[in-house]
């Protein structure tokens, strides 16, 4: 079993060094890491083949295997991802505010790294290099614990990053990998309060819930998106169809996809058949409440669980509501505080929806699929926070920083 | 035992209402609460007398009783405190950034309330009105769980605030009180993840540690301050004496007081006797390491525990160091990340100290006693965060907010 105390202690020391690097030094190290990834493409593809062989043995589905599979192009994209992180503006050292107080003290609030970040993830191998480079750029040491499906790929990727650091005379412990996939190790990692400043889980709802319930280390909850689109009585039919089709079917497996359609009763009879026609083309299955199902011949009757389910599949729950108030109440009761959208021409409906819906991202006349750090313009993303503390919504480099007050005096004492 | 589920549910509903109030409405309610406190001065003093009687029975020390005791003036100060909160700038609704992304979406980051805040505190009755008014102004419902010492005072204060809300046709559940002092209830409150968005403990190190170790609700750690002053070899003696005396003895019971003096070996022989003379005048007891004790006749020998102890008393640990590096290493090992100070004339020493010391507030040539929301100019303080996530250092209204992305589109879908 991995000695997490040792990893933690090494990470803490590396974090201290990393916090003192200037931006140029960090960028040079990131470029070296990117080059090392590309130089080792063959080895990476071999390690990835071991993961794929394992997947075959375990009868993993083709769609999952595709997520797991690396190609020459995908390895190159990982290296490019690291270079892009190098090009992002370094938030560390920025003085966010500075002022003189009544005692004559000059007080500044400076951005500093958080320290040591733990990441527990299930996703594709590129999360390894993405997360490592984002933590590095923001001056944080990171301990990565990936899923067993991509174990060989992840382990080799971290080895390569560490060697690149060492070759450039920097501590390899800035980026570390938990080299077993035992559940006990993950659980122990969640208790590592002496060493980890924050733990970010990335993966399915089960993982997130397990981490949230068991971690003593502060957690930033990410990811699950039980998202809604509310089609108001003053919506345009064509726009509603386009947005629903996009939010549901452009990529149903992601957290910013839509799971439930709420539609105002005044337009249900006219809109629903047209929406159904489009969704059938896209192979979307409908689970409708009693009223909606009257206009949706293809639908099965929705159960109460459907309203609370993140399908991540070609399935959409549909419900007719009497008013925008009923829509907002339904959303705030069932949603996971991720992404919500209204389609309407009515000004007051937009303002009401924006003000009253409780979610990280609330949209007017746009697809929920835009909730993403790259799309928002942050240049990168470590995950999408669905909690309210520290960071909410897509998290870029800024979300990986803390602050420190620096105070310049000339002998002041408190009276 | 208090039905916390019920309190939580009521708080959540009240929070929804509170989040929709505009600033004028919130301020009017705050002024009504302030007036109600003042109008009920007699009743408050009677309830407080019950707490004081209890304290007598339990043989509580006079210094503690003084913290507990309310007078007409102190009640007036509580009401004034609420009025001052009403006058603070309302952070809610501020759009912190707004920009157009590449898809033509207009994306704004808006400040919103956190939701429902739990506060577990041991301190004086004025924390009740301070915390309640700060949470209210920032649009958050609050559930207060005070210490048993001021139970009767706290309970009546919350009753008065609730009546003022109700008289003004607003939900009394915006401010609620846990009306028993059982440990089980506090422990249950720490598990109330369905209703509490954050839990802020205020009190001694034991309380903070207990909450941190047992809470499933996200916690903002506050308060404990094992703070240091490092007197560099290029320090001015007079300034060093003034700052040490102030940081140690002006009010030793508070979290921003100094607990350990680190002094450079080159000035120890000359400075320490002068510092000792001043500290003896102030009744400060010294616990010195071997080298420091040679120059400090009054000192007893420090134990290893002394370096890790927040004395909160007229006791100062003293250690001679060989270099600023040794001072910084000692601080980063033993401190609780609260407030740290260097006294020096040397520019490079100040920059090194500011950069390398890991704490919420790092001072150059000033007393650590300034770490305080009022002193920093925030107009109020809910506590001093010693953690790195969400908020660090003195927390004013800003620390009680979250954000929400609001996105204006005109039919955008993701390609």
């Amino acid at each position: 079993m991995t000695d997490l105390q040792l990893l933690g202690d090494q990470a803490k020391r590396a974090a201290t060094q990393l916090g003192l690097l200037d931006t140029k030094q960090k960028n040079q190290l990131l470029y070296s890491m990117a080059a090392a990834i590309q130089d080792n493409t063959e080895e990476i593809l071999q390690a990835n083949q071991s993961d794929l062989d394992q997947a075959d043995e375990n009868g993993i589905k083709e769609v999952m295997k595709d997520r797991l599979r690396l190609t020459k192009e995908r390895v190159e994209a990982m290296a490019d991802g690291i270079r892009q992180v190098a090009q992002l503006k370094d938030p560390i050292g920025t003085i966010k505010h500075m002022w003189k107080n009544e005692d004559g003290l000059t007080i500044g609030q400076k951005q500093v790294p958080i320290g040591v970040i733990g990441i527990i993830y299930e996703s594709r191998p590129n999360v390894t290099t993405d997360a490592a480079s984002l933590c590095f750029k923001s001056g944080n040491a990171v301990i990565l614990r990936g899923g067993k499906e991509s174990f060989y790929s992840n382990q080799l990727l971290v080895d390569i990053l560490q060697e690149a650091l060492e070759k450039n005379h920097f501590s390899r412990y800035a980026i570390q990998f938990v080299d077993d996939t035992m559940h006990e190790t993950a659980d122990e990692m969640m208790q590592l309060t002496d060493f980890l400043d924050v733990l970010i889980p990335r993966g399915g709802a089960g993982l997130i819930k397990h981490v949230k319930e068991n971690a003593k280390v502060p957690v930033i909850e990410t990811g699950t998106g039980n998202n809604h689109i509310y089609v108001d009585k003053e919506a345009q039919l064509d726009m509603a169809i386009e947005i629903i089709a996009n939010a549901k079917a452009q990529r149903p497996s992601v957290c910013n996809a839509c799971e439930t359609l709420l539609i105002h009763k005044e337009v249900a009879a006219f809109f629903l058949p047209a929406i159904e026609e489009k969704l059938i083309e896209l192979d979307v299955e409908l689970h409708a409440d009693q009223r909606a199902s009257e206009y949706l011949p293809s639908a099965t009757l929705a159960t109460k669980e459907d309203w609370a389910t993140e399908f991540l599949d070609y399935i959409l729950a549909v419900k007719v509501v009497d008013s925008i108030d009923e829509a907002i109440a339904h959303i705030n009761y069932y949603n996971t505080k991720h992404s919500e959208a209204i389609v309407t021409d009515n000004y007051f409906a937009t303002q009401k929806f924006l003000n009253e819906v409780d979610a990280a991202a609330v949209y007017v006349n746009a697809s929920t699929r835009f909730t993403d750090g790259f799309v928002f313009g942050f240049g990168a993303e470590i995950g999408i926070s669905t909690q309210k503390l520290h960071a909410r919504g897509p998290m870029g480099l800024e979300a990986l920083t803390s602050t420190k007050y620096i105070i310049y005096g000339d002998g002041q004492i408190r009276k």
Side-chain angles (χ1 to χ4, degrees), chain A:
Chain A
M1 200 163 145
T2 310
D3 185 349
L4 285 172
Q5 302 280 329
L6 178 66
L7 259 62
D9 189 54
Q10 289 166 345
K12 219 168 166 171
R13 289 165 200 273
T16 303
Q17 283 184 51
L18 190 43
L20 298 175
L21 291 187
D22 59 40
T23 307
K24 266 193 191 164
Q25 293 169 313
K26 288 190 286 191
N27 289 348
Q28 279 163 2
L29 290 165
L30 284 165
Y31 283 116
S32 306
M33 290 191 260
I37 292 292
Q38 224 161 342
D39 291 346
N40 287 281
T41 302
E42 270 316 307
E43 291 77 0
I44 294 169
L45 294 180
Q46 276 169 32
N48 186 247
Q49 191 56 51
S50 305
D51 285 325
L52 290 168
D53 292 346
Q54 195 86 46
D56 280 335
E57 276 176 41
N58 297 328
I60 302 286
K61 278 196 289 189
E62 186 50 43
V63 56
M64 285 301 294
K65 269 176 29 193
D66 183 58
R67 288 165 65 99
L68 194 55
R69 183 173 293 116
L70 291 176
T71 59
K72 192 164 172 293
E73 291 68 35
R74 284 183 177 182
V75 172
E76 200 173 319
M78 289 167 84
D80 279 341
I82 299 174
R83 291 185 195 106
Q84 278 162 28
V85 169
Q87 282 159 28
L88 293 178
K89 190 179 170 313
D90 185 355
I92 299 305
T94 301
I95 310 290
K96 296 170 84 175
H97 319 276
M98 195 161 203
W99 67 96
K100 203 155 190 166
N101 87 337
E102 292 186 354
D103 302 287
L105 294 168
T106 300
I107 304 173
Q109 191 181 24
K110 185 177 168 179
Q111 268 183 298
V112 298
I114 291 175
V116 182
I117 296 177
I119 300 186
I120 297 184
Y121 58 109
E122 294 175 328
S123 336
R124 293 161 295 174
N126 67 311
V127 174
T128 306
T129 50
D130 281 358
S133 55
L134 285 168
C135 290
F136 193 86
K137 177 74 180 233
S138 51
N140 298 291
V142 67
I143 299 178
L144 297 159
R145 198 276 188 188
K148 62 177 184 304
E149 293 75 13
S150 47
F151 181 78
Y152 296 108
S153 311
N154 291 337
Q155 189 179 38
L156 180 63
L157 288 167
V158 174
D159 276 349
I160 293 168
L161 299 178
Q162 289 188 322
E163 273 169 41
L165 286 173
E166 207 155 51
K167 225 171 93 183
N168 289 279
H169 317 291
F170 193 76
S171 169
R172 62 188 289 121
Y173 303 124
I175 299 168
Q176 294 182 96
F177 184 67
V178 176
D179 63 357
D180 75 56
T181 56
M182 293 164 69
H183 285 300
E184 292 81 354
T185 312
D187 286 352
E188 194 194 327
M189 192 169 162
M190 298 174 203
Q191 317 303 319
L192 217 59
T193 47
D194 284 346
F195 301 107
L196 287 184
D197 292 292
V198 61
L199 189 59
I200 305 177
R202 282 189 60 167
L207 171 73
I208 311 280
K209 187 161 178 279
H210 181 75
V211 172
K212 200 187 157 191
E213 285 180 1
N214 292 285
K216 284 196 175 147
V217 175
V219 170
I220 298 182
E221 220 180 312
T222 68
T224 35
N226 185 22
N227 308 320
H228 302 72
I229 290 173
Y230 166 59
V231 175
D232 187 48
K233 63 181 169 185
E234 294 185 41
Q236 297 176 27
L237 176 58
D238 289 347
M239 190 185 288
I241 292 174
E242 288 300 314
I243 289 175
I244 294 162
N246 182 260
K248 177 68 266 177
Q250 193 239 1
R251 210 172 149 202
S253 64
V254 290
C255 62
N256 56 21
C258 172
E259 306 294 2
T260 296
L261 165 64
L262 301 170
I263 188 161
H264 194 282
K265 63 176 178 186
E266 286 183 26
V267 294
F270 180 52
F271 279 24
L272 285 180
I275 292 168
E276 182 181 40
E277 193 187 332
K278 176 77 174 187
L279 292 175
I280 286 175
E281 269 174 40
L282 298 166
D283 289 322
V284 175
E285 192 184 309
L286 300 174
H287 294 190
D289 78 335
Q290 189 64 53
R291 283 205 283 180
S293 62
E294 286 172 30
Y295 313 111
L296 297 168
S298 80
T300 55
L301 212 58
T303 63
K304 216 193 153 196
E305 271 117 74
D306 281 328
W307 311 126
T309 302
E310 190 190 15
F311 301 109
L312 297 173
D313 203 347
Y314 290 88
I315 302 172
L316 182 70
V318 186
K319 183 184 169 72
V320 173
V321 294
D322 288 337
S323 65
I324 184 171
D325 288 292
E326 188 186 341
I328 292 170
H330 178 99
I331 291 171
N332 285 341
Y333 187 82
Y334 287 106
N335 80 346
T336 53
K337 316 293 175 207
H338 195 297
S339 299
E340 305 294 345
I342 182 173
V343 183
T344 187
D345 284 6
N346 184 285
Y347 168 78
F348 291 99
T350 66
Q351 295 304 303
K352 188 178 173 67
F353 196 83
L354 288 171
N355 285 329
E356 299 186 18
V357 168
D358 188 16
V362 187
Y363 291 82
V364 171
N365 294 328
S367 168
T368 55
R369 285 277 294 112
F370 289 106
T371 306
D372 176 307
F374 294 91
V375 172
F376 274 26
F378 304 160
E381 178 185 291
I382 192 92
I384 296 171
S385 164
T386 53
Q387 66 177 33
K388 292 189 184 175
L389 289 188
H390 188 71
R392 196 178 195 201
M395 296 188 287
L397 286 177
E398 291 280 328
L400 298 177
T401 68
S402 180
T403 61
K404 174 205 265 187
Y405 287 106
I406 56 170
I407 302 111
Y408 292 93
D410 43 24
Q412 280 88 344
I413 58 172
R414 189 148 175 196
K415 309 286 180 193

